């Protein structure tokens, strides 16, 4: 069974004015679709890899479970497919979004002091990622929350990569220029600030509860 | 004031160099900051192949920010007052780049990129360069194909390059983010920027179309030929 482009959980215009509808359309139907297509093409010759499923495919990046000649393609496109599938779900209609509450809020305060201090660290990671990449809030193996950024389509599931902080992501932000250029051009910090208006804190809480048991949701 | 005159007189009499009065802070000598060089054409001159809006952001914001940030980073440090090339090589630091490198190299890369293009560019090279392309790639068409492929397969942000060694042999390379073949000991003669900011306003995700337009309509083959000749001196 081939991987498929998941539907967006909302309309292309739902995240306006913070993320514009033209960006959402191109981001979903062109960029994410290309990762799905390329991943399927690469996995065609490696059914055992395909059978692992998307999460485990990401987890084995950088190990010898991935044959050398497809290693880079799997890393880039398996990463791209997971990252974008995850990303659409941690965003929602701006009127829905309040802020973290309950267990995840307590965990954020325990790790960073306050929600605002967490956001400041996250913003710095997102703005400071030179070139293309992602910023992440996640649960580390010891159960604590941490913030990291990854280059290109890498993600914290790829624990075997040398520079990766191993985490189960609970929130992530795409800082590839394609994620913001049509509306924000060079003004990445403005995009990052606006994006907090569309964070789906309910999904973040669901991700957090699963991550505490070591489970990665998709 | 009597006191200061006495000091002046005594220092002159003693034949000593006038000493500046001590202040509370070490005086910082501001050397000339490195500048943002304008492209050798107006910002709308590459239309319709590369829009004025793209140049306004790409040169006016991105390239300008690299210059400003680099100058802030090197002010008052041993790199202050050095040439751009010296700053790039020093900050590369043998492969463990310092924070200055991303800015300095991007300043260099972008100037090199603007100068690789011209209005009514494209077409084909002639003379020794054309011969070398035919020899080292098989044909001009093959070169175009491979140069485009290099640009397409640089995943994420980066650059594709045509380089020449001092015997005139040509090679292609691609680099991520700010990396430049100069730090790899190579001599680039042509580059194309494949960071998304280079093409997103004009063609969005369609990097292949951007590369085709660059190759067919924008390359300044005269400049590339000059650089090719210079590489062999």
């Amino acid at each position: 069974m081939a991987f498929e482009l998941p539907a967006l959980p909302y309309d292309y215009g739902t995240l306006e004015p913070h993320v514009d509808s033209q960006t959402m359309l191109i981001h979903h139907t062109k960029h994410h679709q290309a990762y799905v297509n390329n991943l399927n093409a690469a996995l065609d010759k490696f059914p055992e890899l395909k059978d692992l499923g998307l999460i485990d495919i990401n987890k084995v990046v950088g190990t010898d479970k991935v044959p050398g000649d497809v290693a880079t393609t799997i890393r880039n496109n398996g990463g791209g497919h997971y990252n974008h599938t995850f990303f659409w779900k941690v965003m929602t209609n701006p009127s829905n979004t309040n802020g973290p509450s309950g267990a995840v809020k307590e965990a954020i305060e325990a790790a960073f002091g306050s929600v605002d201090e967490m956001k400041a660290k996250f913003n710095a990671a997102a703005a400071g990622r030179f070139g293309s990449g992602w910023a992440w809030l996640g649960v580390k193996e010891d159960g604590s929350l941490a913030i990291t950024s990854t280059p290109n389509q890498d993600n914290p599931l790829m624990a075997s990569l040398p520079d990766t902080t191993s985490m189960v992501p609970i929130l992530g932000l795409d800082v590839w220029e394609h994620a913001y250029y049509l509306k924000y051009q060079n003004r990445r910090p403005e995009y990052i600030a606006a994006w907090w208006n569309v964070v789906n804190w309910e999904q973040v809480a669901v991700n957090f509860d699963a991550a505490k048991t070591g489970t990665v949701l998709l | 004031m009597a006191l200061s005159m006495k000091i002046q007189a005594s220092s002159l009499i003693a034949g000593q160099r006038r000493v500046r009065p001590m202040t509370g802070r070490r005086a910082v000598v501001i050397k000339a900051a490195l500048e943002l060089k304008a492209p050798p054409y107006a910002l709308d001159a590459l239309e319709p192949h590369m829009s004025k809006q793209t140049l306004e952001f790409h040169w006016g914001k991105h390239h300008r920010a690299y210059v400003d940030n680099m100058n802030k980073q090197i002010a008052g440090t041993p790199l202050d007052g050095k040439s751009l090339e010296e700053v790039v090589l020093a900050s590369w630091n043998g492969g463990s780049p310092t924070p200055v490198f991303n800015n300095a190299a991007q300043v260099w890369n972008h100037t090199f990129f603007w100068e690789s293009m011209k209005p009514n560019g494209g077409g084909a090279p002639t003379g020794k360069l054309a011969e070398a392309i035919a020899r080292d790639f098989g044909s001009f068409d093959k070169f175009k194909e491979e140069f485009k492929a290099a640009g397409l397969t640089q995943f994420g942000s980066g650059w594709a390059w045509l380089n020449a060694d001092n015997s005139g042999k040509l090679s292609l390379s691609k680099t991520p983010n700010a990396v430049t073949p100069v730090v790899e000991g190579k001599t680039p003669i042509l580059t194309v920027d494949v960071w998304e900011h280079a093409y997103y306003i004009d063609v969005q995700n369609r990097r292949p179309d951007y590369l085709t337009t660059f190759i067919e309509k924008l390359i300044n083959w005269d400049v590339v030929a000059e650089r090719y000749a210079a590489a062999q001196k």
Side-chain angles (χ1 to χ4, degrees), chain A residues 139 168-170 202-218:
Chain A
V139 177
V168 175
I170 69 170
E202 274 178 31
Q203 184 64 45
V204 174
V206 166
N207 291 343
F208 176 72
D209 292 341
K212 290 296 275 180
T213 71
T215 305
V216 182
L217 297 178
L218 195 56

Side-chain angles (χ1 to χ4, degrees), chain B residues 26-34 69-83 86-88 90-91 98-101 104:
Chain B
R26 176 173 68 85
V28 177
V29 178
I30 309 293
K31 304 201 176 95
L34 292 167
N69 291 334
M70 172 190 65
N71 282 328
K72 281 186 209 140
Q73 285 172 314
I74 68 178
T77 77
L79 289 180
D80 196 354
K82 297 262 188 273
S83 72
E86 287 171 301
V87 176
V88 171
S91 61
T98 74
V100 175
F101 179 77

Side-chain angles (χ1 to χ4, degrees), chain B residues 60-162:
Chain B
K61 303 288 183 186
H62 291 274
H63 194 179
R64 185 181 303 279
Y66 291 130
V67 171
D68 292 346
N69 291 334
M70 172 190 65
N71 282 328
K72 281 186 209 140
Q73 285 172 314
I74 68 178
T77 77
L79 289 180
D80 196 354
K82 297 262 188 273
S83 72
L84 179 60
E85 290 73 13
E86 287 171 301
V87 176
V88 171
L89 287 168
S91 61
W92 174 247
N93 192 31
S96 303
T98 74
V100 175
F101 179 77
N102 281 343
N103 289 313
Q106 285 292 79
V107 174
W108 192 95
N109 295 340
H110 282 87
T111 299
F112 195 79
F113 177 52
W114 307 131
E115 295 174 355
S116 296
M117 295 187 285
K118 68 172 191 179
N120 303 309
T126 57
K128 291 229 149 56
L129 177 56
E131 286 167 26
I133 285 176
R135 179 197 66 210
D136 294 336
F137 294 97
S139 69
F140 182 51
D141 279 349
K142 202 84 211 334
F143 156 74
K144 289 197 282 187
E145 221 176 271
E146 291 185 26
F147 185 72
K148 186 174 174 181
L152 281 179
T153 55
Q154 179 49 47
F155 190 70
S157 306
W159 304 76
W161 306 86
L162 176 63

Side-chain angles (χ1 to χ4, degrees), chain A residues 195-206:
Chain A
W195 169 79
W196 287 108
N197 289 295
V198 298
V199 167
N200 184 345
W201 289 108
E202 274 178 31
Q203 184 64 45
V204 174
V206 166

Side-chain angles (χ1 to χ4, degrees), chain A:
Chain A
M1 260 245 313
F3 288 110
E4 282 181 7
L5 180 70
L8 274 188
Y10 34 74
D11 295 335
Y12 290 112
T14 300
L15 308 182
E16 289 263 10
H18 311 292
V19 185
D20 59 297
S21 58
Q22 202 199 0
T23 291
M24 289 302 291
L25 177 68
I26 297 172
H27 204 173
H28 182 243
T29 64
K30 305 292 182 188
H31 292 278
H32 189 176
Q33 181 72 71
Y35 293 128
V36 172
N37 296 344
N38 294 339
L39 180 62
N40 283 333
L43 288 175
D44 220 35
K45 301 183 198 70
F46 303 98
E48 355 60 76
L49 253 191
K50 195 197 302 192
D51 289 344
L52 287 181
L54 185 59
I55 290 167
D56 286 347
I57 285 170
N58 276 264
K59 287 184 171 181
V60 299
V61 165
T63 73
D64 56 16
K65 292 216 166 61
V66 187
D69 44 348
V70 275
T72 300
T73 308
I74 298 295
R75 173 178 179 173
N76 291 342
N77 296 286
H81 180 26
Y82 169 81
N83 295 344
H84 288 85
T85 301
F86 173 89
F87 186 46
W88 310 135
K89 291 170 80 165
V90 295
M91 293 189 291
T92 189
N93 186 321
S95 70
N96 285 5
T97 179
N98 300 309
S101 58
V104 70
K105 182 173 189 213
E106 282 169 28
I108 287 172
E109 288 166 345
F112 303 101
S114 67
V115 172
D116 280 347
E117 282 163 287
M118 180 278 288
K119 285 184 176 181
K121 279 215 152 68
F122 190 96
N123 293 343
R129 171 46 64 180
F130 188 73
S132 308
W134 291 74
W136 306 96
L137 173 67
V139 177
K140 293 204 298 191
E141 279 156 32
D142 65 6
S144 66
L145 277 182
I147 286 168
T148 190
S149 75
T150 52
N152 296 343
Q153 293 299 346
D154 291 355
N155 59 54
L157 296 178
M158 299 176 179
S160 296
L161 291 179
D163 294 319
T164 301
T165 304
S166 174
M167 303 193 305
V168 175
I170 69 170
L171 178 62
L173 174 60
D174 190 347
V175 293
W176 281 61
E177 287 171 326
H178 65 236
Y180 60 91
Y181 212 79
L182 294 179
K183 182 179 171 73
Y184 296 97
Q185 294 87 49
N186 59 301
R187 302 180 308 280
R188 191 194 285 186
E190 214 181 289
Y191 158 66
I192 297 166
W195 169 79
W196 287 108
N197 289 295
V198 298
V199 167
N200 184 345
W201 289 108
E202 274 178 31
Q203 184 64 45
V204 174
V206 166
N207 291 343
F208 176 72
D209 292 341
K212 290 296 275 180
T213 71
T215 305
V216 182
L217 297 178
L218 195 56

